[in-house]
Amino acid sequence: MIGVMVRFFRRKKDDEADNEQSPPTEEAVADTGGVAEEAQEPEAAEVVTAEDAASERDEEEAAPVEEAVERTRKTWFGRIGGIFKRGLDDSLWEELEETLIAADTGVQTTIHIIEDVQARVKEESIRDPDKALDALKEELVEVLDVDTGRGKIWSSNGDPDSPDGVAVILVVGVNGTGKTTSIGKMAHAYKARGKKVVLAAADTFRAAAIDQLKMWGERAGVDVVAHQQGADPGAVVFDALAAAEKREADVVIIDTAGRLHTKANLMEELRKVDRVIQRQVPDAPHEVLLVLDATSGQNAMQQAKYFTDAVGVTAVLLAKLDGTAKGGVVFSICDQLRVPVRFVGTGERPQDLARFEPRPFVEALFAG
């Protein structure tokens, strides 16, 4: 099953007809005979089914990354070609440094990039500005080409021979980053490929988060398992995994709280959820996906550090890339934290979620 997820998000065109699943049923979650260790006698989970979802789906492709990075390209990276055409002197490197930092690439990452390009220019005796610009592009691709192998679905170590079972994706991030919307987009993408998806509304601290996830579940045509506001998140996850097993679901995507009163509380809550997951699916979560808001610039970098320390993030989804001129933060995330960016949000529609590919991304920044 995990192998199937690998192939899907690498966008290989398998025979989709063979992968079609029947729509989720209206059956309620069966009595599981217990809940997570942290929950005592939780209320019965509410399951929002997809019976009334619109029959006609918008099958358009996601907005291309080229469009999503347009503001970053026009504001910052589009200038770089002109900088190089003026010649390879000290002023070039100074202006390049200023431009990359202004695009929120980060000071440390900017210095790293420029030093590596300067070294290559010297070693290869590059005199042609166009070739020096190509060297910069190659360095940027290398910075983005991170694969820790920690994830079990999207990394190069994703095992296509994994035993059958549900793929569990734990999604983390602060409130306001587009986390719940991104989960909805992922559900839409899986559903469009014929996969049976269950969403777990484990952000129980905000009623709005539960309602929003239900809305996205209906919109995508997938089941949502939810309790009332203030319920134990571990109990929600327990019930969602039980529902997924009963329905023979392919994927469970778990929404989590993004703002508790202290960092310690948040870390402990996420650890509790993680224990519940591992008790029911021992090798899960198969991915811990951090959603970051591209419009927040270097603040996104601080959030990435926070969650990486807390829960061992395996992948990043960069949301709202189309709404910022400071998309350079992606380089800082990959360079400083060594966490791969796997997806980018390219628009507001359900299908506007694109697989992140380093080389096409860099080419898009310099297009035109």
Side-chain angles (χ1 to χ4, degrees), residues 57-76:
R57 303 288 185 191
D58 185 352
E59 296 299 336
E60 295 179 22
E61 293 295 323
V65 173
E66 289 82 355
E67 292 181 11
V69 300
E70 183 176 1
R71 292 179 64 179
T72 300
R73 179 177 65 247
K74 287 183 176 180
T75 306
W76 304 114

Side-chain angles (χ1 to χ4, degrees), residues 24 187 190-191 195-199 222-223 249-253:
Y190 277 123
K191 178 71 174 181
K195 306 304 174 188
K196 190 176 290 187
V197 181
V198 172
L199 303 182
V222 303
D223 284 1
D250 301 304
V251 191
V252 174
I253 306 176

